Amino acid sequence: DAGVIQSPRHEVTEMGQEVTLRCKPISGHDYLFWYRQTMMRGLELLIYFNNNVPIDDSGMPEDRFSAKMPNASFSTLKIQPSEPRDSAVYFCASSPGDGGSYEQYFGPGTRLTVT
Amino acid sequence: GDSVTQMEGPVTLSEEAFLTINCTYTATGYPSLFWYVQYPGEGLQLLLKATKADDKGSNKGFEATYRKETTSFHLEKGSVQVSDSAVYFCALRTSGTYKYIFGTGTRLKVLA
């Protein structure tokens, strides 16, 4: 399996622009997670999905952030409008869930820089 | 709420030294415990896990034992290598949820 795929790997944008991060989970995994990693706050869970349905979005920082999972093989995290404080590495992870070991498999991340 | 506390880094060791990275947790119920490793520029990778008290997880020479009485899951390796230089994260998953709680990470630097 190719593992969790994220794109782009790097994104540089100007404040106020819309940013869309993409994730393809491992085939057959029922759970998908979005995390944000910064030096100041460490690794934060933003939102997670089960069978394409958002289960917990309590970590989404504000209304500028939104996430969707239109099908089992694709998810997006959108920031509109972006701000410099959104600069971070964003990780997507997937997990097999029930019947599995609950392990989370992480993608390589998207490094976002907002100037 | 549930939480994970890791020792502050960075930890700097010479090659072949013994490694311990402390991790303690607070949780309701019976959590599963994990160690993840993050190499520079990469995502987190599962290193080892333990799902119940007294379980020992092991992988690539690393070990950690689930100690319920001390609520700890310390990571150990008998002889570190330069290639072990990375950031190590302790994490828990409380039963009944699929959310992980991660520690802040401990950076390890191994010198040749």
Side-chain angles (χ1 to χ4, degrees), chain A residues 9 31 33 35 37 43 45 48 56 58 91 95 97-98 101-108, chain B residues 32 34 36 38 41-46 49 51 89 93 97-100 102-104 107:
Chain A
R9 292 295 309 275
Y31 288 81
F33 305 81
Y35 291 90
Q37 186 179 42
L43 195 63
L45 176 65
Y48 79 94
D56 186 340
S58 59
F91 289 103
S95 176
D98 288 337
S101 60
Y102 309 110
E103 297 172 24
Q104 293 191 12
Y105 297 77
F106 283 73
Chain B
S32 297
F34 305 83
Y36 277 77
Q38 184 180 28
E42 299 184 9
L44 280 69
Q45 304 173 25
L46 179 66
K49 65 182 180 183
T51 57
F89 292 87
R93 184 191 68 84
T97 175
Y98 287 91
K99 292 171 65 170
Y100 277 31
F102 282 91
T104 54
R107 183 175 298 278

Side-chain angles (χ1 to χ4, degrees), chain B residues 64-93:
Chain B
T65 300
Y66 189 142
R67 302 285 189 198
K68 194 171 187 299
E69 64 276 14
T70 54
T71 63
S72 65
F73 192 54
H74 304 323
L75 182 68
E76 297 182 336
K77 186 175 186 183
S79 176
V80 293
Q81 305 299 312
V82 172
S83 56
D84 294 327
S85 298
V87 181
Y88 292 82
F89 292 87
C90 185
L92 69 80
R93 184 191 68 84

